[in-house]
Amino acid sequence: MRKVGFTFSTPEYIHKENVQLTFEPFIQLNKTWLGNNTFNFLNQEFKFESEIDWNYSKNGKLWTYNINYFEFLMQDELSEQEGKLLIDNYINSKDKLIDGLESFPTSLRLINWIKFLLKHQIKEEKIDRFIHKDAYRLFHNPEYHLLGNHLLENGFGLYFAANYLNDKRLYKKAKSILSAELKEQILDDGAHFELSTMYHQHMLFRVLDCYQLASSIEILGSELKALFQRSAEVMLSWLQNMTFTNGETPLFNDSAKGIAPSSNQLFDYAKYLNISFEFILLKDSGYRRYNFGKLEFIVDAGNIGPDYIPGHAHADSFNFVLNYDNKPILVDTGTSTYEIGDKRQKERSTISHNTVVVNDENSSKVWAGFRVGRRAKTILQIDNDSTVKASHDGYKNFGIIHERKFEIKENSLYIEDVLKGDLNNIISSKAYFHFHPGCEISLDYNSISINENIKIDFQGVVNLTLQKYEFAEYWNQSTSSDVLIVEFKQQLKTIISEI
């Protein structure tokens, strides 16, 4: 059996009588504990016939992480007695734990155990000693080598543990991480800087939880409460901008439905906490949103994410999604797996997004599951209420610059793609349009109609081909749908209008 070794000094656990903290879990995520030693994470159900194996790995690393998060403690259907038995089982398995000792699952487990204990006002020294040991292992092993959402989760976990244990040393570490990372990771327009709607929702959920805990009684100081409130306000604004009228969000970058709290759950939680927010225009994240008539669309006109941590980024420069009459029409193809392989590679590739592919190459070189080599750099040229125009150099190895303009005029959406540079190096250029499985499509000579109410006309077409792709709306699940591939030479005009 592989071992995980952590060498550090842990101060002796000292029981302290604290001012009583309270916490009321407001958001319930998916039902993952099914009873009778059965769990369902990431749409993969498994029953342990005898003892629960907290290191179970046959469904992949992320499944193993999930069972160690203990988010199932927040299920309404799970009783206090059941939750307590699961915690006791875990503690009794302490000498066998492997993945659960890592800093990321430890962070989430600290949060979820403490929320459960506060909800039910459980106070047991055996559990508190385990939390104390978890917290100090995390204290000595924050994920500075990974940064991003991992390091933020470390800070959130330490913050919960510090207040629960009334531990000034833990609090100082939590404050150091959260003060720096919330400033670094939350952009001025409110986006979490990894530019995934799913991870943004996760991080906002944590900020709201921390604000609730701070509002209960922050034993060790009130400085972070104001930081949580400011962070929540701008993050709520960005989420509102990125949420369609039907309550859904696009699956930009690493995103899937059913993993993070929904936008409406988070808006309701903020209202419960009496947090309001002002509207902030989309800017730093690179996303732009436009509504006209029954059409709503969101454009990615920015860079792929922070240069030093692009692990959840896709090669999706100038991707866009579109709804009509509260129904999805053009969609991001989603993320179904983090397991390294052909499926992961394809889901991150440019051909899986609504944009242009030159010479069958990716606009940014995504590889090895969470790596990005050469990155497309975007230059914004026009940015106003009706038009966004930008160029990127993702095909500069061919001497080609891709320029794309989105413009609302005459009650239609006009998209103009232009390839500039050494045109002799272009072997092929194709624009991809991925349709939601609910779309009925009729292909004509140089146009296509969808659901008999949307028409897309093309100018500059060499060939139109309708093929199939796998729409990964949920983890470990996919649905076959249609993708339109439009071949062109140097310039393509696309006009989307209501019939």
Side-chain angles (χ1 to χ4, degrees), residues 4 15 37 102 132 199 260 275 479:
V4 177
H15 175 73
N37 282 3
E102 295 177 25
H132 182 265
Y199 279 99
I275 297 177
T479 306

Side-chain angles (χ1 to χ4, degrees), residues 25-53:
F26 187 85
I27 291 178
Q28 180 181 184
L29 299 176
N30 290 337
K31 184 177 180 180
T32 54
W33 163 251
L34 307 181
N36 196 24
N37 282 3
T38 305
F39 298 86
N40 188 334
F41 302 112
L42 309 172
N43 298 306
Q44 293 175 306
E45 184 175 321
F46 185 80
K47 178 180 179 180
F48 295 99
E49 295 299 335
S50 54
E51 282 294 306
I52 297 172
D53 179 5

Side-chain angles (χ1 to χ4, degrees), residues 423-472:
L423 303 182
N424 292 325
N425 289 335
I426 298 177
I427 300 171
S428 68
S429 48
K430 305 169 187 175
Y432 286 75
F433 299 85
H434 296 85
F435 294 96
H436 186 270
C439 292
E440 295 182 6
I441 296 171
S442 177
L443 181 61
D444 202 348
Y445 175 63
N446 275 344
S447 66
I448 188 170
S449 60
I450 305 102
N451 299 340
E452 299 183 345
N453 48 35
I454 294 291
K455 185 177 182 183
I456 306 179
D457 292 294
F458 300 98
Q459 298 174 10
V461 176
V462 173
N463 188 44
L464 292 180
T465 306
L466 203 59
Q467 297 183 4
K468 293 295 182 180
Y469 81 97
E470 293 300 309
F471 178 47

